[in-house]
Amino acid sequence: YCSACIALSPLVGRIIGRYEIVQPIGRGTIGAVYKAEQLSMGRLVALKVIHDEFTADAEAIGRFLRDARAAGQLSHPNLIRIYDMNNADGFYFISMEYAQGGDAAALVERVGPLPVRQVIEIAVAACGALSYASAAGVVHGGLKPSNLLFTRDGILKVGDLGLARSLDVAGLGTLTSAGTAVRSLFYLAPEQIADASAADTRSDVYALAVTCYHLLTREFPYQVASITELARALRDRKATPVTVHRHDCPADLDAVLARALDPDPAPRHPTAAAVPNARK
C-alpha cells in the first residue's frame, strides 16, 4: 500500500476480522466506508466501520446490530446486500455488497443536474426496493443520494437500509450528532426529525422526493441556512416547485414530487409502490 493511501486513512492495509482494508470510499453519518477484501471468500466488499461515538453504549449498539441483521435478511435486485455484522479488533463493522459504479450524490456533483428520464428511472428502481422493504416491515429512514449506488452495469442499488433510523431509535442519535449538517436534515421527513420512531413508509416517500428534487436541480425544496429556518419553512410554506429550476420537468412529475413533499404525511403517497403510477 502506498504511503499516501495510508496517510489518508491509517486503516488501509489493516485486517479487521476477516477483512483487509484496501482503500477508503467515503465517510458518512454512521461510519467510514472502505473497499475491503473478504479474505475467506476472496471477494471485494464495502466495509462500513461504525464511528466510535456510536459504540460507547453496548446495549444500544447491540440493538442497532440486531436491527441491521434483520435488514440483512432481505434480498431484492435493487438493494445492497448485507453480508455480515460484527465487532473485531476494537471495531464494529458492517460488510456489504460493493457497488463499483459510485453513488448518485457523487454523480450529480460531477456532471450537474441529471436528465429527467434518468431521475425517473432511478426513482422507479428505488421505489421497487423501498416497497419490498416496507412489505417486510423495514423502513429505510435515511434515504439520500449518497446511498443510491450503481453497479458497474448501471443497476441501481439502495444502501444503508434502516441503519441511520435504527441508530436514532436505539438512542444513538444521528439526528442530533455533533456536526450534522442542515443539508442532511433536508432529506428527513418532518415527523422523523421530531421523533425517529415515527418514521414509516411515507417518510421514505418524502426522502425519495427530496432526493429526486436534488438530482434534478442540485437544489433543495427549501432555501434555508439553518435548522431553525428549515423548521419554520416546513411549518409556514410549501416547497419550491421543481419547474422553477427545471423548465423541462413535466408537470406530472412536478405534481408527484409536490405531493410527496407535503410536510404532513397524511396527504403524501401512502407507499413507495404508489409513486411510479401517481399523476397528482
Side-chain angles (χ1 to χ4, degrees):
Y1 297 98
C2 70
S3 58
C5 293
I6 296 173
L8 185 63
S9 174
L11 291 185
V12 169
R14 286 191 57 177
I15 294 176
I16 298 177
R18 297 170 293 171
Y19 303 92
E20 182 173 358
I21 306 296
V22 176
Q23 69 182 59
I25 296 175
R27 186 177 179 87
T29 305
I30 299 170
V33 184
Y34 300 88
K35 182 167 77 172
E37 181 182 357
Q38 185 178 3
L39 299 175
S40 61
M41 299 292 290
R43 67 178 172 188
L44 291 176
V45 302
L47 195 72
K48 185 183 290 288
V49 180
I50 308 302
H51 293 318
D52 289 343
E53 60 263 33
F54 295 137
T55 62
D57 186 332
E59 183 178 350
I61 196 68
R63 287 197 300 269
F64 164 68
L65 291 175
R66 286 194 295 273
D67 288 346
R69 286 191 182 95
Q73 300 303 308
L74 305 182
S75 178
H76 185 276
N78 298 115
L79 279 178
I80 288 287
R81 288 297 309 272
I82 296 176
Y83 298 136
D84 184 26
M85 280 156 259
N86 218 321
N87 66 297
D89 304 304
F91 299 95
Y92 285 89
F93 58 84
I94 301 171
S95 164
M96 62 193 80
E97 179 182 358
Y98 174 51
Q100 299 187 47
D103 62 63
L107 178 62
V108 76
E109 287 301 312
R110 186 171 69 250
V111 306
L114 304 183
V116 171
R117 180 176 293 278
Q118 184 178 9
V119 174
I120 291 174
E121 290 172 352
I122 289 171
V124 170
C127 281
L130 295 173
S131 178
Y132 168 82
S134 177
V138 178
V139 174
H140 191 292
L143 191 71
K144 53 188 175 183
S146 61
N147 49 46
L148 294 181
L149 302 109
F150 304 98
T151 67
R152 179 179 290 173
D153 298 327
I155 298 172
L156 181 88
K157 299 274 187 172
V158 176
D160 280 358
L161 183 68
L163 298 185
R165 176 178 179 269
S166 182
L167 281 177
D168 290 314
V169 173
L172 300 181
T174 63
L175 300 188
T176 55
S177 300
T180 296
V182 176
R183 63 181 293 143
S184 296
L185 295 179
F186 270 127
Y187 297 102
L188 296 176
E191 67 273 11
Q192 188 177 353
I193 296 175
D195 178 4
S197 64
D200 61 18
T201 186
R202 296 170 298 177
S203 308
D204 284 345
V205 167
Y206 183 95
L208 179 59
V210 179
T211 295
C212 290
Y213 193 108
H214 187 68
L215 297 182
L216 286 165
T217 67
R218 286 190 72 182
E219 301 286 349
F220 291 100
Y222 301 96
Q223 301 301 307
V224 298
S226 69
I227 295 173
T228 302
E229 288 181 21
L230 176 60
R232 187 180 304 118
L234 288 167
R235 184 181 65 246
D236 297 338
R237 68 177 194 258
K238 292 184 177 181
T240 303
V242 175
T243 49
V244 170
H245 305 287
R246 284 288 295 264
H247 301 304
D248 63 335
C249 179
D252 280 355
L253 177 58
D254 197 18
V256 168
L257 292 178
R259 178 179 173 185
L261 288 168
D262 197 303
D264 181 358
R268 291 180 210 147
H269 313 285
T271 65
V275 174
N277 297 318
R279 289 294 180 269
K280 62 180 180 177

